[in-house]
Each structure stands twice: as C-alpha cells, then as structure tokens.
Amino acid sequence: LPAGLEFVECGGNVTGTKSVVDGKEVVTWNIDYLNNGTMVSLWVVVKVMTNDTFTNIASVNSTENKTTYLVVY
C-alpha cells in the first residue's frame, strides 16, 4: 500500500494477510487450487490519510501454464 493509505482489513473467499516487503505494506492472498471455472472474491479496506491520487495495482502469480484472468473493481 502506498504512503497515505492505512490498512484496515482484508478478506474474501480465502484469508488475506498484510505484510511489509521492502518497506512497503503488501496484501497477499494464497489460493492453493481453483477448479476450472471457479471464481474467488477478494477485498481490501484502507483508510485514506492524505489528499492525494492513488493507483490500484493488482497482480496474479501462478505456477500453472494456463490463462489467468484478473478483474479489479
């Protein structure tokens, strides 16, 4: 999470965790396995601490050699 945002909570169909990586807050969800056609909902709540513009960045890492879709709302 960028400076100016305070982590409040995260959740979804699987448990998320917040950690600090290279001095920055990172929210991670580990999804062990998804059956074909299965969806998972994930969310994070933050408190805005400053007036600024923030960019939402999300990524998916997979060990499978298959198409991965990511939809961010």
Side-chain angles (χ1 to χ4, degrees):
L1 301 174
L5 296 179
E6 179 181 299
F7 175 82
V8 176
E9 63 181 325
C10 62
N13 297 42
V14 294
T15 302
T17 58
K18 182 198 69 116
S19 59
V20 177
V21 177
D22 296 329
K24 295 187 180 191
E25 290 183 314
V26 176
V27 180
T28 304
W29 292 266
N30 290 315
I31 304 166
D32 293 330
Y33 183 81
L34 283 178
N35 288 322
N36 188 23
T38 302
M39 293 177 24
V40 174
S41 297
L42 310 170
W43 52 266
V44 62
V45 177
V46 298
K47 182 177 180 182
V48 178
M49 305 301 289
T50 62
N51 282 338
D52 205 345
T53 300
F54 300 99
T55 302
N56 186 6
I57 300 172
S59 64
V60 173
N61 296 316
S62 175
T63 57
E64 297 289 325
N65 188 19
K66 299 189 183 209
T67 304
T68 303
Y69 297 96
L70 174 67
V71 178
V72 178
Y73 294 99

